[in-house]
Amino acid sequence: MHRTAADQAPRAAAGQVEAHCAVHESVHRLAGDAADVITLSRTSLCQAEGTLRSTGALLVITPGPTSGTPAHLCTPAGDIALRRDGDAGLTWKSDGITVPLHRASSHSAVLTAYVGTWRAQDGNDPTSTVRMTIRQGVPGTARAEFTWDGDAHHCEGFSVLASAGDTLAFGPEIVTASEPEGFCTQTPSRTMTRPDSGSMHVEMAAPDGTAPRAFTFTRSN
């Protein structure tokens, strides 16, 4: 699974645990002999189904074939070793990187407060508006769908949910329609803060690690 040492941040679920940095490593459906592994960075979201096995005090996940967006950044990772660390945490070790994990929110799906259609102004283009529709679901399958409309362009796309809780994390936007052709390009990963009083704060990561681009969305329905 693609990741960089500088941006490492794991997350595991089914009794979820997580660490917060620029990258989320997620392990969902941690049961039986399988686990779904999701890696989210500023510019990619990668998914793989892993095989579980125990080795002494360790739980080891061997990731299988990897897919994601963009495909060339999603390459197979080495084995992931999980060791219990206290009552509520785990230690994640993979490819020479060790990260402590803590138990996350019990929410494993999109909260109802997020579900629906939202609108915002594009701060970079005063003639452009953004419509976002968030649907119910779990990491790896749930989507946020986007429509960007301006005087001279129309863009459509979607992002896949990487982690859920009071804050949602979505992968890069995959463009599905562009007018004019070639105008619309993939945008980075984004995080969404739990809505309050009909508005929601969304931050879109900057690929170069500078300050994220912020939007305030208001509920449309």
Side-chain angles (χ1 to χ4, degrees):
M1 195 77 65
H2 172 78
R3 57 182 169 274
T4 61
D7 291 337
Q8 189 69 18
R11 174 188 167 104
Q16 294 178 337
V17 291
E18 66 180 359
H20 295 286
C21 291
V23 173
H24 294 274
E25 294 280 11
S26 307
V27 180
H28 302 273
R29 197 166 55 87
L30 187 59
D33 61 356
D36 297 326
V37 182
I38 299 175
T39 302
L40 175 68
S41 74
R42 297 184 183 97
T43 57
S44 67
L45 185 145
C46 307
Q47 298 178 254
E49 183 175 300
T51 301
L52 292 174
R53 70 178 191 277
S54 295
T55 305
L58 295 178
L59 180 64
V60 178
I61 303 172
T62 301
T66 304
S67 62
T69 304
H72 73 277
L73 292 182
C74 297
T75 56
D79 284 356
I80 301 162
L82 300 176
R83 182 189 298 274
R84 182 176 294 279
D85 184 8
D87 294 333
L90 295 173
T91 297
W92 164 300
K93 186 172 183 178
S94 179
D95 292 344
I97 298 170
T98 301
V99 180
L101 310 176
H102 61 84
R103 189 171 296 279
S105 163
S106 60
H107 304 303
S108 59
V110 175
L111 294 173
T112 302
Y114 283 105
V115 176
T117 299
W118 304 77
R119 294 182 184 275
Q121 203 72 31
D122 183 350
N124 287 353
D125 181 356
T127 71
S128 180
T129 59
V130 188
R131 186 175 75 251
M132 172 178 67
T133 300
I134 299 176
R135 304 190 186 280
Q136 185 61 269
V138 297
T141 60
R143 293 182 173 187
E145 298 171 355
F146 297 88
T147 301
W148 304 70
D149 278 311
D151 288 348
H153 68 271
H154 173 84
C155 305
E156 297 179 15
F158 68 90
S159 296
V160 176
L161 180 67
S163 65
D166 286 339
T167 298
L168 302 182
F170 283 87
E173 184 177 346
I174 300 169
V175 176
T176 58
S178 176
E179 299 176 13
E181 185 176 354
F183 177 87
C184 308
T185 58
Q186 177 180 301
T187 54
S189 301
R190 68 283 322 266
T191 57
M192 304 175 187
T193 304
R194 190 170 184 170
D196 180 36
S197 300
S199 65
M200 176 169 48
H201 184 71
V202 177
E203 288 192 350
M204 187 182 298
D208 59 1
T210 56
R213 185 179 172 193
F215 296 82
T216 298
F217 281 81
T218 56
R219 186 174 287 279
S220 179
N221 67 348

